[in-house]
Amino acid sequence: MVKTSEPVRNARLPQRSGGGAGDRLKGLASLLAIVAIVGGVPYVLLTFFGKPWPSRMPSRDVLFDELSAKTIIGIIAFFIWVAWLHFVICLIAEAVAEIRGHGLSPRVPLGGGSQTLARRLIAGVVLIAGAASVTLPAANAVTATSVGNPSSVSVAQSNDNSSVEAFRQTEPRSSVQIGVAPVKHTHTGVRTNSDHTGQVVKYTEVRPPQGRNYDCLWDIAERYLGEGRRYKEIYDLNHNKLQPDGRRLTNPDLILPGWQVRLPADAKGAGVHTVLVNVDHHPAAKTTTTTPAGKPAAKPVAKPAERPATQAHPASETRTAEEGGNAVGSRWFEHEEAGSSIGVAGTTTKPDASTPETTGTETTGTEAANPVVDGAKVEAAGGFDVQQAGIYGLGATLLAAGLAIALKRRRGWAQGPGPKAAGHRQTEIGLRLASDVPTARFVDNALRALGAAMTNDNRVMPTVVAALVTDRALTLVLEPGESQAAPPGPWQAIADGTRWVLRRAYGPQGDVDAPAPYPTLVTLGSNADGAIVLVDLDTADGIVSFGGVTNASRDVVGSLAAELATNLWSEGAHISMVGFGDDLSTLAPSRLSYWVSLDDALREVTRRTDAQVQACGRRDADSVADARMAFPDAQLWGAEIIFVSAPPSPEEEAKLAKLASDPKRCVAVVVVGDVMSSPWRFVVDEKNQAVCRLLGLEVDAHSINPSQFADLVALFGVAEAEALDKRRADLDMPAYEFAATDLSQPAPVEIDLLGPVEVDARGPIDPGRIALSTEIVAFLASQDYGVHPNVLAGAIWPRGISDELRNAALEHTRNWVGVDAMYADESGRWLLNRSVVRVDWDVFRTLAKQASMMEDPRGPLSTALSLVHGQSWSNLPAGRYSWLAASGVERKMAESVVDAALRLAEASLRHNDGNLARTALQTGLSFSPASEDLWRATLRLAAHFGSSEDIGNVAAQMYAALAKHGAPRGPEAETDALVDELLPGYHRPAAVA
């Protein structure tokens, strides 16, 4: 839906002037010419010259008689009859080919100009019917002016998908092949598969009309193949291919400007774009699963064939690049021909070559020389396959991770769901299953560490086109043509320096305090090898358009907006969604805004980015990218990303392109629908494949549909309400009250839940089973009573598991912790033997309950808080612990720890013990860093025992912690009022979500 504040007007997209008088006149003139030639010429010849054959059989004397004028006229008339008959044959051949609609028209001997004229006349006749029906679907321009109290008009946009099923298998899957070594091969492209037999594929774009002259397949064949009659070859290559405007080529005479047309291998000339690809004519079959709520789940694809373990994967790359000439689109993975080609990133490939010639250095099979193994299955700890993750589709693990982190921040101090979230458990379970928070933190910290290292070396950050993320490494694909020295360690350069790779084992271990260098980097989807593909929207230097099937494109663009509004490395970014049917600002109120009018959004974006232009001038910076690293200020240098729900008008398009191409403004623009001037034009089909043909990029895109957005908005709304609810439930005693014995003595089995989950067991277990067994033990430890095996299976394996595999996993876990520590009772319920197993959560609740009945609770509360060793349930592996969304144990732990810390601090102050009070509050903040109750108590403690400088330090730490872990609404009014009272005139830092 596109909502505007005034009646929606049509955007002027390149299109045929369907139904125009000019086309009808052309067709009528062609028809009259055919009638005149076919009927008029014989009539004139018969009238003035008689029949073309003699009235009687000529004798041999005719050869020796003198030529009379009548004889000469008769000879001329005979040849006119022959020429007329030849033309009629050409006309019939072209008409039959047009009626058939496929195949190359037969070449008539000595046809030449006659057949060309016949074809043009037949094509002209087609215009009579075609002019009345061939137009592009009118795109709704997102244009409005705010005048008074505007009325809201909703306009539905949709494509004609009536024949969608007929086209589902018409287009073979293609993939970029970037390198083939003589012996050891590899594929390090954004789109790869296991097949290394590649071919060169050439494309061109249909030119816009010049006056009344429209580009056609005949003209394209003449221009690039040297023979117009080869247009049928081009038609056969592109028949039924989805184009950026959502149409398909079904008639060789009806093509539209901006279409991307594949050409035969021998095509050449300015305007030909060449890409080296693999073509898989047997696309992997997709299946659709359902979540417990019955909603569409992940659409896993068949995994590519696994390579032998001993096979090396040298990281080389083959690309063809532009030389001498201006490419229409981006300069990534393609070139526009100008007579030759340049090898980019390790190999050189000529446009008509079938096998690239390796020019890069030979790599070995060792890990040092092979920092990333492309094509390996992306698998997190414990065997979780992220290709099957979550309800948000393939490659959406980083998107879901950003949403999961944002949801946790929205809950603030409580960290986990409360009782109000019971109706949204299935949505949160799906979100947790899809998310891969450790990978998201790895990408964020790796990029920040790279930026800090480059800044320390006084080097400019490279321009990144895309990034590939696997469980092994992060790979940055640099913009071709950039001259870059070796990256700082532990990063490694591969493919002649066009790619920088960081192995995950060498990534930063903790949080990196440095600016994020690429705030517009966003996940597009996953490639054939399962690697997550991210693209940097700011690198496009123009509008990025997503055409094809409108509804699918809108869902893909919506996922981009949701990720940029919630991910870790887009700090300071602001997302403006214009004309979309639903207001999604609830997901990130401080980073995402909804606009009805594009003009209003542009005014606000221009106002904010004017500050960037002025700041670049004051700091003598050439671009925002350079200034962001040299002069860190997340609020000033934050990216502006504009999402528009339909193609803009030409005037609006010019404004958007100007903003996006200004290096002193960090502005990226994404449009649903085709924009011909866009450097990156993506086509999204019914199968959610996003293809940019002229870049050689094809991924299985992830998306969020409107119903999933509605579920997310509702979930975030409940989280906001629960965060404002400060009521804490009474602390219940555990089912097994732990005896307050000497805790310094180890127990046979120890389980720590008050921080990162840890299990200390002494039994044998395969290392590959530790993650799963740890989750099983943690689930049982969080339950006060035993659980039925079916309930346990539903929590640990929400996608389902057989009884045999479930029982085997439980038996492995039992052997690990001990047969006397974990068992099933008479009713079959599994539980932990608390007399053998010590759970810190049980001990904590027992001590806290005992302290509530004592006049001086400092002893038991100090012991209880000593069990806290960090944020609970942190650094969880991808796709696991989704049962936390239904158990509520996260919130119970946060309530208990915050309450115990406040009670101990209060009791310590009554005894004038400031050190113990400080320790108690710091312990509580280490568990719940967004608890403003604890921060306010810390401020009052600093005011009681310290100086103004101490209060200022605490205030600075508080605002930094709330900016990182707190809700986007910012500090509570009570907190700001306390700071104003204790530190009059204190300058609070601007909140950056």
Side-chain angles (χ1 to χ4, degrees):
M1 302 292 290
V2 178
K3 295 183 179 179
T4 69
S5 58
E6 64 182 24
V8 179
R9 64 176 185 268
N10 290 338
R12 294 184 56 82
L13 291 177
Q15 55 183 315
R16 296 243 183 184
S17 55
D23 284 348
R24 287 198 177 94
L25 289 176
K26 264 188 195 177
L28 184 59
S30 298
L31 181 61
L32 292 176
I34 291 176
V35 172
I37 293 175
V38 174
V41 170
Y43 174 78
V44 171
L45 290 175
L46 289 173
T47 301
F48 293 99
F49 303 104
K51 294 179 290 186
W53 54 86
S55 58
R56 57 185 177 84
M57 182 67 66
S59 64
R60 59 182 298 182
D61 295 336
V62 175
L63 299 175
F64 303 100
D65 290 346
E66 292 184 1
L67 291 176
S68 63
K70 183 178 180 181
T71 303
I72 294 175
I73 293 175
I75 294 173
I76 294 175
F78 174 78
F79 282 105
I80 293 177
W81 275 108
V82 171
W84 172 84
L85 180 62
H86 183 269
F87 181 79
V88 169
I89 294 174
C90 294
L91 205 62
I92 293 173
E94 293 296 332
V96 170
E98 180 61 40
I99 292 173
R100 287 203 322 245
H102 60 83
L104 186 65
S105 59
R107 174 176 287 188
V108 179
L110 303 177
S114 297
Q115 191 166 4
T116 301
L117 177 60
R119 179 198 173 279
R120 293 189 181 278
L121 290 177
I122 293 296
V125 173
V126 173
L127 286 177
I128 296 178
S133 61
V134 179
T135 61
L136 273 175
N140 296 318
V142 186
T143 309
T145 55
S146 301
V147 181
N149 297 321
S151 60
S152 175
V153 181
S154 298
V155 181
Q157 279 193 316
S158 63
N159 281 42
D160 183 9
N161 296 331
S162 58
S163 58
V164 163
E165 294 297 330
F167 300 122
R168 286 193 181 274
Q169 300 298 333
T170 58
E171 184 171 355
R173 294 163 59 94
S174 62
S175 59
V176 177
Q177 181 204 5
I178 303 302
V180 180
V183 179
K184 303 173 182 178
H185 68 273
T186 185
H187 311 294
T188 57
V190 171
R191 174 75 179 183
T192 63
N193 59 21
S194 298
D195 180 18
H196 64 85
T197 58
Q199 71 178 79
V200 171
V201 174
K202 298 184 177 183
Y203 288 97
T204 190
E205 286 191 351
V206 179
R207 293 179 177 178
Q210 297 179 352
R212 294 181 179 272
N213 297 322
Y214 289 85
D215 208 4
C216 62
L217 293 184
W218 182 282
D219 294 337
I220 292 174
E222 268 188 346
R223 191 159 59 240
Y224 301 124
L225 302 177
E227 175 55 69
R229 282 174 293 190
R230 295 183 61 186
Y231 77 96
K232 287 293 182 180
E233 298 178 33
I234 303 177
Y235 172 73
D236 291 339
L237 287 173
N238 296 275
H239 182 59
N240 277 342
K241 293 291 183 69
L242 185 67
Q243 295 296 332
D245 61 359
R247 294 293 184 107
R248 296 178 186 269
L249 178 58
T250 57
N251 190 320
D253 286 314
L254 301 177
I255 62 174
L256 297 176
W259 279 14
Q260 297 166 345
V261 178
R262 183 174 172 180
L263 301 174
D266 60 338
K268 59 184 177 180
V272 176
H273 302 264
T274 303
V275 182
L276 182 64
V277 302
N278 289 326
V279 176
D280 177 10
H281 293 280
H282 304 281
K286 291 188 179 181
T287 60
T288 302
T289 61
T290 56
T291 63
K295 298 176 182 177
K299 297 179 287 184
V301 297
K303 301 181 182 67
E306 294 186 2
R307 299 181 177 90
T310 58
Q311 180 177 346
H313 302 264
S316 59
E317 180 179 54
T318 302
R319 288 204 300 267
T320 50
E322 177 187 1
E323 176 184 355
N326 296 324
V328 175
S330 170
R331 302 157 302 283
W332 181 35
F333 293 145
E334 59 90 13
H335 79 280
E336 185 172 357
E337 288 196 356
S340 62
S341 64
I342 299 178
V344 179
T347 60
T348 302
T349 304
K350 295 183 180 180
D352 57 349
S354 60
T355 304
E357 178 184 358
T358 303
T359 61
T361 58
E362 183 179 358
T363 58
T364 64
T366 62
E367 286 189 353
N370 183 22
V372 56
V373 181
D374 293 295
K377 182 177 73 172
V378 182
E379 189 172 355
F384 175 72
D385 186 359
V386 300
Q387 276 199 346
Q388 301 175 3
I391 63 175
Y392 300 110
L394 299 173
T397 53
L398 297 184
L399 161 65
L403 289 169
I405 294 173
L407 180 63
K408 187 172 184 178
R409 289 189 57 190
R410 184 64 57 87
R411 291 182 171 128
W413 67 274
Q415 299 187 12
K420 295 182 180 179
H424 305 277
R425 286 175 178 172
Q426 292 302 330
T427 301
E428 186 169 355
I429 287 173
L431 185 63
R432 293 189 184 228
L433 285 173
S435 64
D436 187 355
V437 175
T439 297
R441 295 194 184 279
F442 161 66
V443 173
D444 178 43
N445 291 320
L447 294 176
R448 292 176 187 270
L450 175 62
M454 294 287 285
T455 302
N456 292 336
D457 295 340
N458 292 323
R459 295 176 57 187
V460 178
M461 291 294 294
T463 303
V464 170
V465 178
L468 306 177
V469 181
T470 69
D471 65 326
R472 298 173 181 267
L474 166 64
T475 304
L476 301 181
V477 181
L478 308 187
E479 186 176 37
E482 277 203 352
S483 177
Q484 284 289 340
W491 288 80
Q492 297 181 4
I494 62 173
D496 288 348
T498 59
R499 297 195 174 202
W500 288 4
V501 180
L502 176 66
R503 292 182 61 193
R504 191 157 183 170
Y506 298 149
Q509 298 302 314
D511 292 340
V512 178
D513 185 14
Y518 304 112
T520 57
L521 196 66
V522 63
T523 308
L524 182 61
S526 62
N527 65 11
D529 288 334
I532 300 173
V533 180
L534 299 91
V535 294
D536 193 346
L537 300 177
D538 192 37
T539 305
D541 291 333
I543 298 174
V544 179
S545 66
F546 284 82
V549 179
T550 301
N551 292 335
S553 300
R554 194 183 305 275
D555 294 346
V556 171
V557 169
S559 72
L560 301 182
E563 180 175 340
L564 288 168
T566 57
N567 68 21
L568 294 172
W569 52 86
S570 294
E571 62 176 3
H574 190 272
I575 291 83
S576 301
M577 301 189 70
V578 184
F580 288 83
D582 298 314
D583 185 355
L584 306 178
S585 58
T586 304
L587 300 180
S590 61
R591 285 170 58 170
L592 194 152
S593 58
Y594 174 80
W595 299 88
V596 173
S597 167
L598 179 57
D599 290 336
D600 293 342
L602 286 177
R603 279 193 294 269
E604 182 63 19
V605 170
T606 303
R607 182 189 66 81
R608 283 197 293 260
T609 55
D610 282 343
Q612 295 179 349
V613 175
Q614 298 169 6
C616 286
R618 291 193 301 268
R619 293 166 173 80
D620 196 23
D622 295 331
S623 66
V624 171
D626 297 339
R628 180 184 291 118
M629 305 308 299
F631 309 98
D633 189 334
Q635 185 182 29
L636 174 61
W637 308 118
E640 295 284 341
I641 304 102
I642 306 173
F643 290 89
V644 188
S645 65
S649 66
E651 296 79 10
E652 295 164 340
E653 182 181 330
K655 293 179 182 177
L656 291 170
K658 182 179 179 181
L659 285 174
S661 60
D662 189 350
K664 295 187 177 180
R665 302 177 190 264
C666 187
V667 179
V669 181
V670 180
V671 171
V672 177
D674 185 39
V675 178
M676 284 189 61
S677 63
S678 171
W680 291 0
R681 298 171 67 195
F682 288 90
V683 182
V684 182
D685 64 10
E686 304 88 353
K687 298 173 287 185
N688 260 26
Q689 284 187 355
V691 181
C692 193
R693 293 188 177 99
L694 302 188
L695 305 183
L697 173 64
E698 180 178 352
V699 298
D700 293 313
H702 63 70
S703 61
I704 306 180
N705 60 44
S707 63
Q708 291 169 346
F709 264 130
D711 292 340
L712 286 173
V713 169
L715 177 62
F716 274 70
V718 171
E720 180 76 13
E722 288 187 332
L724 298 175
D725 185 5
K726 293 300 185 66
R727 293 174 298 174
R728 290 193 276 272
D730 293 335
L731 186 64
D732 296 328
M733 292 290 288
Y736 172 79
E737 183 176 356
F738 184 84
T741 58
D742 186 5
L743 296 178
S744 62
Q745 298 299 322
V749 179
E750 295 187 0
I751 303 173
D752 295 336
L753 302 182
L754 294 172
V757 178
E758 297 177 2
V759 177
D760 183 8
R762 296 171 176 81
I765 188 173
D766 187 282
R769 305 181 189 275
I770 292 180
L772 175 60
S773 296
T774 299
E775 183 181 7
I776 293 174
V777 173
F779 176 72
L780 294 175
S782 66
Q783 307 295 316
D784 287 342
Y785 303 94
V787 294
H788 192 274
N790 290 339
V791 175
L792 187 147
I796 306 299
W797 298 278
R799 297 183 183 88
I801 191 174
S802 65
D803 292 344
E804 293 79 7
L805 293 177
R806 178 200 63 194
N807 295 336
L810 290 175
E811 192 62 30
H812 289 303
T813 305
R814 188 185 182 200
N815 292 333
W816 179 39
V817 299
V819 293
D820 57 339
M822 174 180 165
Y823 62 93
D825 60 13
E826 296 80 2
S827 62
R829 299 168 66 89
W830 283 87
L831 67 160
L832 297 177
N833 183 358
R834 254 56 177 205
S835 62
V836 177
V837 178
R838 178 192 295 167
V839 182
D840 61 352
W841 174 230
D842 290 344
V843 178
F844 183 95
R845 288 184 291 172
T846 300
L847 294 173
K849 192 69 174 182
Q850 291 175 358
S852 65
M853 298 180 289
M854 299 174 62
E855 183 177 351
D856 185 3
R858 288 182 297 169
L861 288 179
S862 298
T863 305
L865 287 175
S866 67
L867 300 173
V868 176
H869 57 284
Q871 278 190 272
S872 66
W873 312 104
S874 58
N875 298 323
L876 299 178
R880 297 205 178 276
Y881 296 87
S882 60
W883 48 269
L884 288 172
S887 70
V889 68
E890 289 174 296
R891 186 180 181 95
K892 292 177 183 177
M893 286 184 175
E895 291 175 350
S896 301
V897 172
V898 170
D899 184 67
L902 291 174
R903 288 167 56 195
L904 179 57
E906 183 180 355
S908 301
L909 287 177
R910 286 200 302 267
H911 294 80
N912 201 29
D913 190 350
N915 290 331
L916 182 57
R918 186 181 301 107
T919 301
L921 295 176
Q922 289 176 349
T923 303
L925 288 172
S926 70
F927 190 87
S928 180
S931 173
E932 295 189 48
D933 288 338
L934 293 177
W935 280 114
R936 288 193 292 267
T938 305
L939 284 171
R940 294 189 180 96
L941 183 65
H944 183 75
F945 289 101
S947 61
S948 298
E949 183 179 357
D950 296 327
I951 303 174
N953 292 334
V954 172
Q957 295 172 10
M958 177 188 68
Y959 284 117
L962 294 181
K964 184 175 182 179
H965 302 284
R969 63 181 178 274
E972 299 172 2
E974 184 180 355
T975 302
D976 286 336
L978 179 61
V979 173
D980 290 337
E981 179 184 352
L982 299 179
L983 294 172
Y986 178 78
H987 178 68
R988 291 185 292 272
V992 178

